[in-house]
Amino acid sequence: MLKYSEQQSELKYPEVPNYLGGAFVPADGRPMLDVHDPSEGRVISRVPLSSQHEVDAAVQSAAKAFPQWSTTPIKERVQVFFRYKALLEQHIDELAALVTEENGKVASEARAEVLKSAELCEFACSLPQIAPGEVLEVSRGVECRIERFPLGVVASITPFNFPNMVPNWSIPNAIALGNCMILKPSELVPLSAGRIAELLKEAGLPDGVLQIVHGGREAVEALCDHSGISAVAFVGSTKIAKTVYRRATANLKRCLALGGAKNHLIVMPDADREMTATNVVASMSGCAGQRCMAASVMVAVSKTDHIIARMTEYARTLVPGRDVGPVISAAAKERITRYIDEAEAAGATVLVDGRRASVPGKEGGFFIGPTVIDHVTPDMKIAQEEVFGPVLVIVRAKDVDEALAVENASPYGNAASVFTESGGVARYVMERANAGMVGVNVGVPVPREPFSFGGWNDSKFGVGDITGRGSIEFWTQAKKMTTKWNREAGVNWMS
């Protein structure tokens, strides 16, 4: 095995290879796309735009490995992930630095991402106890049993915002359950995937069980179309999630496609001022707002000016480059800035303005500082569409029902939260919020393993969830077995 950092290239990292059959394979002759360090704007590598040919090679390699891997007992399969979890923790500094370099996260966020990957592996290691099947004597001498079997070759298409964690949403569970996987990481952040492959091989994963095919639209379409792939998981924007879901299911595959979000945080007048202000701002600005669980709309109910004042005060203390990383690209920065400009022109009040953020020594980086915009109306584009940047808009509401009406009107349904000291109000909002993940006094209501990650409405297409217990159903199929050995069972309608 040869780490990227040990290879020689005129760029910081050489051209990114695909990973097939346990080895890195250059995609010779394919068009290449530049990979940027978003904190400086410079090109650090290039990634191939793979085609149907590379996808077909990956499927063949995975199909060859599947018979032996799928018949390996699950208690043996998960031993790979015990070792892989230890390697993630052992190499956390290196892995976090790679995330920072290709994605732009500040160091603490990058470390947290890798630690979450380790937690995901911890859950996968528990699968022998969680997914053992069921058995019941349904009548004297007659036994019914359910056992779960892998699907075969499956694919996972992952986004740019968590280059280490989101691949590990699917890799440990899908592979531990006996499948062989083809990973197609975002072409914007292809470097972390290579180290994931190296560490899994070091942990003892047999060659061919994991393949990595880099690329853009052509590779995604090939994965959706290939007859040798049984299931596709996707994480990205709602527009692309719908396209992937339609295309994969039209080709008779299972598909779980997670889309975008417009998360609403309802803030009541009785909410704890300090906790609410710091949690809401952290949710909005963490990971530069480039996460589907970020606070996007704060619905301020009645007399909450004291909380808003503390929020703006706290947001101004966050320093781009130190506390908030860059957004992923120049195009993303331009798009986010345009949302802010349009809201201001429509009459909204920009309380904290991050449009002119600049980091000394990194003037070429794609930075936007934390931005808080008040007096936004629900009909404004910035209140309806996913911005995916460190921007929080404040919509005013006279009571909790009006606040819920704002939240319920969103076509998305990923997450919602309420900040209050009233248990009754908290329960009222949790029951009525139109979202798959809800929280109370939590800015980022992400469930922890074994609870599954997944939203509703235009935030998710398909059945099941991508992590936790909910992923078991997606990555396996149930076989129902009925046996009768006892002659005394006689002859009845079950014979």
Side-chain angles (χ1 to χ4, degrees):
M1 290 185 293
L2 195 62
K3 298 177 183 177
Y4 292 127
S5 57
E6 297 171 348
Q7 301 178 47
Q8 299 299 315
S9 172
E10 72 281 3
L11 300 171
K12 181 161 188 180
Y13 298 94
E15 293 181 349
V16 177
N18 290 328
Y19 184 75
L20 305 175
F24 289 107
V25 181
D28 294 332
R30 295 302 305 167
M32 306 295 289
L33 185 71
D34 288 344
V35 178
H36 292 85
D37 173 351
S39 69
E40 297 184 4
R42 64 190 175 95
V43 177
I44 56 174
S45 184
R46 294 188 181 91
V47 63
L49 298 177
S50 300
S51 67
Q52 171 69 46
H53 174 75
E54 286 78 24
V55 168
D56 189 58
V59 172
Q60 291 182 38
S61 178
K64 184 177 178 181
F66 178 71
Q68 183 170 353
W69 180 247
S70 61
T71 54
T72 300
I74 189 171
K75 287 182 69 67
E76 295 180 25
R77 293 196 299 255
V78 300
Q79 298 307 311
V80 170
F81 292 99
F82 277 107
R83 294 187 289 269
Y84 176 55
K85 176 181 181 293
L87 289 170
L88 287 172
E89 294 166 339
Q90 179 184 334
H91 294 278
I92 186 169
D93 291 338
E94 172 207 342
L95 295 169
L98 196 57
V99 168
T100 293
E101 192 143 43
E102 64 179 340
N103 171 270
K105 282 188 173 71
V106 298
S108 59
E109 294 170 344
R111 287 180 63 86
E113 177 175 342
V114 180
L115 287 172
K116 179 62 179 178
S117 294
E119 181 183 316
L120 292 158
C121 289
E122 184 178 300
F123 174 77
C125 293
S126 72
L127 285 170
Q129 287 72 46
I130 294 176
E134 303 173 41
V135 60
L136 179 68
E137 186 179 38
V138 294
S139 62
R140 184 173 298 277
V142 179
E143 175 187 280
C144 284
R145 169 188 302 269
I146 293 177
E147 294 184 13
R148 306 211 69 86
F149 287 77
L151 301 176
V153 178
V154 298
S156 180
I157 303 164
T158 60
F160 73 82
N161 56 335
F162 288 91
N164 189 286
M165 183 190 76
V166 175
N168 283 299
W169 273 1
S170 53
I171 289 172
N173 291 359
I175 289 179
L177 289 165
N179 299 288
C180 292
M181 172 165 282
I182 301 170
L183 173 67
K184 206 298 286 183
S186 168
E187 62 273 25
L188 301 178
V189 291
L191 301 176
S192 291
R195 283 300 285 138
I196 288 171
E198 289 178 328
L199 293 179
L200 280 167
K201 183 163 186 172
E202 186 176 343
L205 188 69
D207 293 346
V209 176
L210 174 69
Q211 324 288 324
I212 300 174
V213 175
H214 294 283
R217 177 174 178 172
E218 189 176 352
V220 170
E221 291 177 345
L223 291 170
C224 292
D225 294 346
H226 203 292
S227 61
I229 295 175
S230 299
V232 175
F234 171 87
V235 181
S237 72
T238 289
K239 179 181 178 181
I240 306 303
K242 287 180 177 179
T243 300
V244 167
Y245 183 79
R246 290 183 179 120
R247 189 156 185 151
T249 55
N251 284 290
L252 307 180
K253 304 183 194 305
R254 289 187 185 186
C255 185
L256 180 59
L258 305 190
K262 195 69 179 175
N263 302 323
H264 291 70
L265 306 187
I266 296 174
V267 176
M268 302 300 295
D270 69 335
D272 181 274
R273 177 176 178 264
E274 187 66 20
M275 178 177 68
T276 302
T278 54
N279 274 253
V280 171
V281 172
S283 177
M284 168 268 286
S285 61
C287 302
Q290 297 177 126
R291 52 184 176 182
C292 61
M293 294 298 286
S296 184
V297 179
M298 171 181 159
V299 188
V301 178
S302 188
K303 299 177 181 180
T304 50
D305 285 347
H306 61 298
I307 297 174
I308 293 171
R310 178 65 184 115
M311 282 172 43
T312 58
E313 180 183 281
Y314 178 62
R316 290 190 183 104
T317 69
L318 301 181
V319 178
R322 185 194 70 188
D323 306 306
V324 182
V327 295
I328 192 64
S329 66
K333 179 178 179 178
E334 181 182 344
R335 175 180 51 79
I336 295 163
T337 301
R338 189 166 57 251
Y339 273 112
I340 302 168
D341 293 343
E342 291 175 358
E344 187 175 36
T349 304
V350 180
L351 301 179
V352 183
D353 193 343
R355 284 174 287 186
R356 296 169 185 83
S358 180
V359 176
K362 295 185 176 181
E363 287 78 9
F366 313 130
F367 288 94
I368 289 184
T371 300
V372 180
I373 310 173
D374 199 1
H375 302 296
V376 172
T377 57
D379 61 314
M380 291 183 185
K381 186 188 294 187
I382 199 169
Q384 296 179 348
E385 299 180 4
E386 185 175 38
V387 176
F388 225 57
V391 179
L392 178 74
V393 303
I394 301 173
V395 174
R396 302 285 183 146
K398 66 179 183 295
D399 56 34
V400 68
D401 287 316
E402 185 178 325
L404 281 166
V406 172
E407 190 277 335
N408 287 179
S410 173
Y412 299 102
N414 214 45
S417 198
V418 59
F419 286 81
T420 181
E421 293 296 289
S422 168
V425 170
R427 186 68 192 180
Y428 188 83
V429 172
M430 283 195 293
E431 289 179 350
R432 289 163 177 80
N434 194 15
M437 295 172 281
V438 296
V440 176
N441 298 323
V442 177
V444 183
V446 175
R448 302 286 294 272
E449 271 58 39
F451 300 98
S452 305
F453 183 100
W456 288 1
N457 309 328
D458 277 4
S459 292
K460 187 183 80 170
F461 306 94
V463 177
D465 287 323
I466 200 166
T467 67
R469 292 179 183 270
S471 70
I472 298 171
E473 186 76 22
F474 181 73
W475 294 121
T476 63
Q477 53 193 342
K479 180 177 287 189
K480 285 71 68 176
M481 308 174 183
T482 303
T483 57
K484 181 175 73 174
W485 294 107
N486 189 346
R487 294 181 180 179
E488 295 176 0
V491 177
N492 58 27
W493 65 273
M494 290 190 63
S495 298

